[in-house]
Amino acid sequence: MTGGNEYYLLSAEDMAVIDRLQSLITVYTDSRQAARIGRELFDVSEEVMIEDLHGNTRRTAEGRQQVLEYWEDMDRRILLNGNTLGSDLSVNRRIIPLGPGLAAGSWDTYTVEVLGPAYGIEALPYPYRISAGHYENTFVRTPEGWKIRSLTWKPLVEFDPYSCEGDKDGVIRQNIDDWPQPYELYPHAGTYAAATSEEDILYCDAVMAVKNLAGRIAQAFTAGSSGLRTLTAEEIFTEGAELSIQGLPETLKGREELSLWLSREIVKADHYCGCAPVILLTTAVAEPFGEGYTKANASWMSLTLEPFDKDGMKVLFRNKTCRWMAGFEKTAGETADGQTAGDDGGAGGIDAEMNGGIGGMDQWKISSLRCVTFSTMSDMKGRRTGA
C-alpha cells in the first residue's frame, strides 16, 4: 500500500514469475552460470544494486556495470573453488506489492558455503559453513517482464562448520579436478510473457500443479513407510516415465520398473525403523510450455537426509544437498474414485490436488525424474518420531 488508501495488487502470474526469478539465482550459481544472473535477471537501469553480507565476501555493487562484474566475478570464484561456492536455499517466501510495477520479495535461506580456495583455504577436505540468512529483494516490471532491481542478503544465524566427507561415497572427491561439473539446465528457462489472461491462468495452474505433485512425493518420502504406501506408480508417473537417481545402477524405465522401485523403498524404510529419505525441496523453478501449457520442466534443490545404517532405534543418515530435475505432462485419466477426467467439466477438492491438478480433473504426471547429489556433509544420527 502506498499513497494513502491506494492498493496495488499482484496477480498469481506476477508472483509465480517473481518466485521463479529468485529460484533462478540458485539454479544459475549452482550450474556455474552466475554471469547469466546479471545479464538476464537484473533490470538494465542504473538503479540496480547488490548488498552481499556473506562472511568472507562482504561487498556491494551499484549500477549496471558493477552488478554485471559482481556476477562475473562469482563465476571465477566458483571455478576456483572446485565448481561450487555453496548455496543459499530460499524458503519462507513472502512477496508484496510496492506500487505500480514494483514488488518486494523476502526469503529466509538455508545457506551452505564451501570454504575452499575462494576463501583462502587450500587443504582438502574443505569445511562447510552452515548458516541461516535472509534476502530482501525488490523487483520491477519492465517491457521484457519482471526483473530484479535490488538484492540484499544478510546472515541471521551461523552454525559450527560441518566437515566435507570426501572419501565416503565419492561424491566430493579428494582430487578437485574430479569435482561435480555444473548441472545442465532444462531447455525452457526463458522469460515468460503471456499474451492473454487465459494463458496467464493456464500457466499459473501448470506451475502450481507440478509444484504440488513434487511436494506430495517429497512429503511421502519424508513421512517414511506410511507416506510411501500412499504412492502408486500409476498415479504419479506417465506410462513411459524414466527415473535416474545417483546411486541406482541404471535408469529405470516404465511404470512396472517404477512400481518395483517404490516397493523396494517401502521395504528399506521398514528396515530403517520407518525412515525413508527426508527430502526437503526448495528453490523451485517450473517452466510450463507447449500449446495450452500441457507440459512442464522443473527443478528443485533439496537438503536430503538418506538412511543407510541403524543402531537400535537410532538411524544414521547421509547428509547431502541434491538437485532434482523433472519433466511433467498433463494427461486425461481416472481420479481416485474411478471417474474419468473431464466427465463433468472439471472438479476440485482433494482428488484434484492429489493428482496434481488445481481446479480440474486432468492429471499431471511425471514423465522424467533425475536427481544428482551436489555435495555431502558429515553424517547425522536421528530417530523416527510421530505417527
Side-chain angles (χ1 to χ4, degrees), residues 345-362:
I350 187 65
D351 287 342
E353 189 279 329
M354 287 177 64
N355 287 301
I358 297 302
M361 295 176 68
D362 289 341

Side-chain angles (χ1 to χ4, degrees), residues 208-227:
M208 294 307 299
V210 301
K211 287 184 178 181
N212 279 355
L213 181 54
R216 182 180 174 227
I217 295 169
Q219 287 180 7
F221 272 85
T222 301
S225 299
S226 60

Side-chain angles (χ1 to χ4, degrees), residues 11-205:
S11 69
E13 183 259 333
D14 291 331
M15 297 181 72
V17 173
I18 289 171
D19 196 39
R20 179 178 64 84
L21 280 174
Q22 177 70 23
S23 296
L24 281 174
I25 295 172
T26 298
V27 171
Y28 288 162
T29 53
D30 287 344
S31 302
R32 208 181 70 201
Q33 299 181 46
R36 292 182 64 178
I37 298 171
R39 295 195 304 266
E40 300 176 15
L41 306 188
F42 270 75
D43 183 18
V44 298
S45 76
E46 291 302 314
E47 296 180 60
V48 293
M49 61 84 64
I50 294 171
E51 184 178 24
D52 175 3
L53 300 179
H54 286 84
N56 285 358
T57 56
R58 299 173 69 92
R59 58 181 295 191
T60 60
E62 297 183 4
R64 176 71 174 162
Q65 187 58 38
Q66 287 190 13
V67 164
L68 291 173
E69 291 172 356
Y70 171 92
W71 295 110
E72 291 167 357
D73 180 63
M74 181 169 287
D75 263 346
R76 289 190 288 270
R77 293 190 298 115
I78 288 170
L79 182 61
L80 175 67
N81 216 50
N83 288 332
T84 179
L85 287 175
S87 293
D88 293 314
L89 302 182
S90 301
V91 298
N92 303 342
R93 180 195 69 187
R94 182 169 184 258
I95 300 173
I96 60 173
L98 293 179
L102 293 173
S106 60
W107 290 260
D108 291 332
T109 68
Y110 174 83
T111 295
V112 181
E113 295 174 87
V114 181
L115 302 182
Y119 299 89
I121 299 174
E122 299 289 343
L124 287 161
Y126 304 142
Y128 280 30
R129 181 167 52 208
I130 310 297
S131 63
H134 184 73
Y135 276 111
E136 285 284 351
N137 300 342
T138 61
F139 301 85
V140 59
R141 186 190 284 113
T142 74
E144 290 74 38
W146 283 95
K147 300 289 184 180
I148 300 170
R149 172 66 58 83
S150 67
L151 180 151
T152 298
W153 186 92
K154 65 180 180 181
L156 298 178
V157 181
E158 186 171 308
F159 303 95
D160 289 342
Y162 282 86
S163 62
C164 172
E165 301 291 348
D167 57 354
K168 285 204 169 185
D169 56 14
V171 176
I172 298 297
R173 300 169 176 85
Q174 295 295 315
N175 182 355
I176 198 169
D177 293 333
D178 294 332
W179 277 41
Q181 294 302 301
Y183 296 115
E184 60 198 67
L185 296 176
Y186 43 81
H188 298 276
T191 299
Y192 166 72
T196 67
S197 59
E198 182 180 359
E199 287 187 356
D200 280 348
I201 294 171
L202 291 172
Y203 177 90
C204 295
D205 279 355

Side-chain angles (χ1 to χ4, degrees), residues 145-362:
W146 283 95
K147 300 289 184 180
I148 300 170
R149 172 66 58 83
S150 67
L151 180 151
T152 298
W153 186 92
K154 65 180 180 181
L156 298 178
V157 181
E158 186 171 308
F159 303 95
D160 289 342
Y162 282 86
S163 62
C164 172
E165 301 291 348
D167 57 354
K168 285 204 169 185
D169 56 14
V171 176
I172 298 297
R173 300 169 176 85
Q174 295 295 315
N175 182 355
I176 198 169
D177 293 333
D178 294 332
W179 277 41
Q181 294 302 301
Y183 296 115
E184 60 198 67
L185 296 176
Y186 43 81
H188 298 276
T191 299
Y192 166 72
T196 67
S197 59
E198 182 180 359
E199 287 187 356
D200 280 348
I201 294 171
L202 291 172
Y203 177 90
C204 295
D205 279 355
V207 168
M208 294 307 299
V210 301
K211 287 184 178 181
N212 279 355
L213 181 54
R216 182 180 174 227
I217 295 169
Q219 287 180 7
F221 272 85
T222 301
S225 299
S226 60
L228 287 172
R229 286 185 168 89
T230 69
L231 298 179
T232 66
E234 291 77 16
E235 183 183 358
I236 61 177
F237 291 109
T238 62
E239 180 63 40
E242 296 187 359
L243 175 75
S244 175
I245 297 179
Q246 194 165 326
L248 291 178
E250 59 186 9
T251 298
L252 303 181
K253 299 181 179 180
R255 281 191 186 146
E256 185 175 352
E257 290 188 5
L258 294 172
S259 183
L260 290 173
W261 168 72
L262 284 172
S263 298
R264 289 195 295 267
E265 290 299 310
I266 293 172
V267 172
K268 285 165 58 179
D270 288 341
H271 174 72
Y272 292 123
C273 310
C275 293
V278 174
I279 301 172
L280 306 179
L281 295 178
T282 184
T283 319
V285 181
E287 291 290 346
F289 64 96
E291 185 177 356
Y293 296 113
T294 57
K295 294 185 178 182
N297 288 309
S299 73
W300 286 261
M301 296 293 291
S302 76
L303 171 66
T304 299
L305 301 172
E306 181 182 33
F308 70 94
D309 201 357
K310 65 178 182 177
D311 180 9
M313 295 301 294
K314 287 290 185 74
V315 178
L316 200 60
F317 294 86
R318 291 190 177 94
N319 181 10
K320 55 189 184 181
T321 54
C322 302
R323 173 83 167 273
W324 298 82
M325 289 153 282
F328 298 82
E329 293 182 8
K330 187 178 183 180
T331 63
E334 291 186 346
T335 61
D337 61 3
Q339 189 175 7
T340 300
D343 282 351
D344 64 354
I350 187 65
D351 287 342
E353 189 279 329
M354 287 177 64
N355 287 301
I358 297 302
M361 295 176 68
D362 289 341

Side-chain angles (χ1 to χ4, degrees), residues 1-15:
M1 182 175 67
T2 61
N5 294 321
E6 186 177 5
Y7 286 83
Y8 299 99
L9 299 177
L10 293 172
S11 69
E13 183 259 333
D14 291 331
M15 297 181 72

